[in-house]
Amino acid sequence: MPTPHATRPAMPLDPPAATIPTTPRHVPLAEQTRDGLVESIHYGSLIAVGPDGETLLEAGEPDAAFYPRSSLKPLQAVAMVRAGLKLPENLLALTAASHSGAAMHLDGAARILEMHGLDKSALENSTDLPYGTAEREAWLRAGGQPTQLAQNCSGKHASMAATCVINGWPVQGYLHPEHPLQVLVKDTITELTGEEAAAISTDGCGTPLFAHSLHGMARAYGRMAAADNTEAEGQVAHAMRAFPEMVAGEGRDVAAIMRTVPGLLAKDGFEGLQLIGLRNGTGIAIKISDGGDRARMPVTVRVLEELGLDGGQLATLASAPVLGGGHPVGVLRAANFLASN
């Protein structure tokens, strides 16, 4: 006889109130117009921090904790360089990359492994198709399946495995939070951001993921962008600026903005993240609250303009036309977010 339904334990529909995170006080950062009306709004938070730590501008709640996702990769790369990782600059840039999955990216990740006596079996990241649209379509036409090497974090993972070899650490299990590599990464991120992690989770690729504030991440990118090549921070930043196509891929806005503005350091991240470092030590961190990717660049360009960079050279990145019947009828643009604070 079936157990009566009334005896089954009740399952809570919502977590206890004490575990519900506080929603950040985001503000409108970008808006899409169509024939004079605002059609869509993207909320978020941002901050720009000067080389002396002063706040230059902010909107929303930049001190709220969030997961920086792939914008942590340059900081993870700094930890690996400090641990003895030595690579050609193009491969060091790939270490900090969310690559598109072009042949140069996959070959580069494989080369990092080969240089350290490893092969793709050492990788512990998740499998995926190439991230770039053109690269993914070509991969599928050729009959390709999801692989660890094609996944956009494979450069980072190849270098993590290589760093283990260099230091005599176990390669197997390098993603475990208590592995010496991940302890070093956590300590390095804490140092560069100037704050302890507010929470720890797991990123999409399997790497430990540490929650920090936009304020802390902006500090870290400003420090990296201003560092010289005697420091690990400067070595990573220089490699990324020298090989922006390895950090992202051809046709990607992160590569385009580093080519457009000399000395600018840029890295995006899933869930609407954009991090920028300027040569003078200024750091910028932007989070689009809905995770939408399209709002990153209009907001980034507006912040750079507010900080005195030439908007003309960034104009092609600043906004995207909204089409109606194949003709422009509106625009995706930055909102007047500074007026909201």
Side-chain angles (χ1 to χ4, degrees), residues 51 144 230 247 262 270:
T230 63
V247 177
F270 281 158

Side-chain angles (χ1 to χ4, degrees), residues 17-237:
T19 67
I20 299 175
T22 302
T23 302
R25 297 185 299 273
H26 294 303
V27 299
L29 294 185
E31 57 192 21
Q32 178 171 294
T33 66
R34 184 178 294 272
D35 278 329
L37 292 179
V38 174
E39 183 174 40
S40 302
I41 300 174
H42 294 277
Y43 285 72
S45 296
L46 60 83
I47 190 168
V49 178
D52 296 324
E54 71 277 22
T55 297
L56 303 177
L57 59 86
E58 62 179 341
E61 191 177 359
D63 286 315
F66 76 109
Y67 288 116
R69 302 300 299 272
S70 286
S71 67
L72 279 178
K73 286 176 178 173
L75 284 64
Q76 293 164 325
V78 169
M80 288 184 264
V81 172
R82 288 181 177 181
L85 181 68
K86 292 181 173 61
L87 293 172
E89 283 193 329
N90 64 322
L91 299 184
L92 183 54
L94 184 64
T95 300
S98 297
H99 64 70
S100 292
M104 63 181 175
H105 301 132
L106 277 58
D107 292 346
R111 176 62 181 149
I112 294 171
L113 293 169
E114 180 186 341
M115 290 169 64
H116 296 86
L118 300 169
D119 59 31
K120 61 184 179 181
S121 67
L123 297 174
E124 296 187 356
N125 57 310
S126 55
T127 62
D128 204 350
L129 298 170
Y131 177 71
T133 301
E135 291 83 358
R136 182 168 59 252
E137 291 176 353
W139 184 268
L140 290 171
R141 284 197 299 271
Q145 299 293 319
T147 70
Q148 289 171 301
L149 206 60
Q151 198 264 343
N152 76 89
C153 307
S154 63
K156 177 184 75 174
H157 282 262
S159 288
M160 284 186 166
T163 303
C164 292
V165 171
I166 292 166
N167 288 275
W169 298 331
V171 174
Q172 185 175 9
Y174 69 80
L175 291 182
H176 194 282
E178 295 180 2
H179 190 284
L181 173 65
Q182 300 305 335
V183 172
L184 173 64
V185 166
K186 181 178 183 293
D187 290 345
T188 301
I189 293 171
T190 297
E191 176 197 332
L192 294 176
T193 60
E195 58 188 29
E196 295 287 341
I200 301 175
S201 185
T202 306
D203 212 340
C205 66
T207 308
L209 177 63
F210 308 102
H212 286 274
S213 69
L214 292 173
H215 203 152
M217 289 297 294
R219 278 195 296 265
Y221 270 71
R223 176 174 172 176
M224 289 186 62
D228 61 40
N229 281 359
T230 63
E231 302 175 276
E233 299 95 306
Q235 292 170 37
V236 173

Side-chain angles (χ1 to χ4, degrees), residues 31-33 294 298 315-323 328 330-333:
E31 57 192 21
Q32 178 171 294
T33 66
R294 70 179 187 175
T316 57
L317 298 171
S319 61
V322 176
L323 302 180
V331 68
L332 175 65
R333 66 190 183 190

